[in-house]
Amino acid sequence: MNYLDFEKPLAEIEGKAEELRAMARKNEEMNVEDEAKALDKKAAEMLVDLYKDLTPWRKCQVARHPDRPHCKDYIEALFTEYTPLAGDRNFADDHAVMGGLARFNDTPVMVIGHEKGHDTKTRIERNFGMARPEGYRKAVRLMDLADRFGLPVITLVDTTGAYPGKGAEERGQSEAIARSTEKCLQIRVPLISIIIGEGGSGGAVAFATADKLAMLEHATYSVISPEGCASILWKDAGKMREAAEALRLTAQDLSRLGVADHIIKEPMGGAQRDPEATIAAVGKAITALLADMDGQTGKALVKARRKKYLDMGSKGLAA
């Protein structure tokens, strides 16, 4: 278990409980179960106390937790007959973006998402989930394909933002993001987006300009990271806590603002504590959101989607 900074007291208690049980496994004559259970109870109470009212900055930390389930985990658990499709038919295949044809509850769909990777090797391979232009152009190609064959599109968003490297900028990063966002608004099939971790900047918007946007309880969605915002406004990245408060990037704030349509509850302690339960909850949410749009014509979907984004910003936090 990887513990976040604010979870250190919890780590100590759970560590002590595990130490006692490890000692008992080595010496069968030792009876430490009562003490271990008392520590477990104390840890459970502390976990509830830590997570009952998380600050925006702590939610950012939870959203970035390396043990949260990633796009690949959701695809493997929720979709069947997944057939990955690669390349943008122009430059290369971007491994930060994965997508392809699949079945969800036996319904043919197109699934697209950011993949961060689970260990050092896969994180480097996936570029830490930061897509290059070819990744967004691949997404546009897959959305075109889904539109042509009448397949609902499901996107799984988890990125700190689009890759800002020199090569990406030379190949038209901003134009690729804009084209992907435009394509989201144009397709005549249901488009559902789930923010499973970080929804960072235009890199997230390019996949999340959807009919229905759902967020996990501790996910974040923002135009810029708190550190980036603090560096620009105060010339001090250390003021990220103040920036996180001001950005209104939590699922709860974005629901009140009318940006997020649905919040998916996470297990106590975050998705990383029970990935299987989190994945199941996301599956139920996708089922419900698809059912909401069942039977709508392509023309009606496009009209409602455009109205949704044109109206965005008219609802304030006081509403």
Side-chain angles (χ1 to χ4, degrees), residues 47-104:
L47 186 67
V48 171
D49 191 51
L50 284 172
Y51 276 81
K52 68 181 179 183
D53 192 21
L54 289 177
T55 64
W57 172 243
R58 286 187 174 180
K59 280 186 178 284
C60 288
Q61 292 178 287
V62 177
R64 295 169 178 174
H65 199 290
D67 295 337
R68 285 177 78 86
H70 295 154
C71 178
K72 191 170 182 285
D73 302 315
Y74 287 96
I75 290 176
E76 289 175 351
L78 297 177
F79 298 86
T80 56
E81 297 181 35
Y82 173 64
T83 304
L85 300 174
D88 65 346
R89 298 296 185 268
N90 182 37
F91 182 76
D93 183 38
D94 186 353
H95 296 293
V97 175
M98 61 185 300
L101 298 163
R103 286 183 180 272
F104 179 77

Side-chain angles (χ1 to χ4, degrees), residues 95-226:
H95 296 293
V97 175
M98 61 185 300
L101 298 163
R103 286 183 180 272
F104 179 77
N105 292 339
D106 208 36
T107 300
V109 298
M110 184 70 77
V111 59
I112 306 167
H114 301 98
E115 173 56 40
K116 285 184 171 179
H118 287 83
D119 53 31
T120 302
K121 182 181 177 182
T122 55
R123 284 170 189 150
I124 292 170
E125 179 190 349
R126 302 285 185 177
N127 200 33
F128 300 88
M130 295 185 291
R132 297 176 170 90
E134 47 271 23
Y136 295 108
R137 290 178 180 132
K138 173 165 70 173
V140 169
R141 185 172 73 83
L142 299 190
M143 284 190 272
D144 264 331
L145 192 64
D147 194 21
R148 191 183 313 159
F149 292 103
L151 305 176
V153 177
I154 298 165
T155 65
L156 302 168
V157 178
D158 188 15
T159 182
T160 54
Y163 184 59
K166 181 183 177 185
E169 297 297 339
E170 288 174 344
R171 295 194 298 278
Q173 182 72 289
S174 58
E175 185 268 345
I177 291 170
R179 293 291 182 191
S180 184
T181 307
E182 179 186 44
K183 184 56 65 177
C184 287
L185 289 167
Q186 291 175 342
I187 57 175
R188 297 160 296 173
V189 294
L191 172 55
I192 292 170
S193 183
I194 313 290
I195 299 181
I196 57 176
E198 289 183 277
S201 194
V205 173
F207 286 6
T209 312
D211 296 295
K212 300 289 183 181
L213 175 70
M215 295 180 67
L216 281 172
E217 183 182 359
H218 302 311
T220 60
Y221 187 29
S222 173
V223 69
I224 193 171
S225 70

Side-chain angles (χ1 to χ4, degrees), residues 278-307:
T278 304
I279 291 169
V282 168
K284 287 180 183 177
I286 294 172
T287 300
L289 293 171
L290 281 174
D292 283 347
M293 291 181 285
D294 190 38
Q296 291 189 42
T297 65
K299 186 176 180 180
L301 285 168
V302 171
K303 184 178 179 181
R305 195 182 303 139
R306 289 180 65 86
K307 186 177 187 305

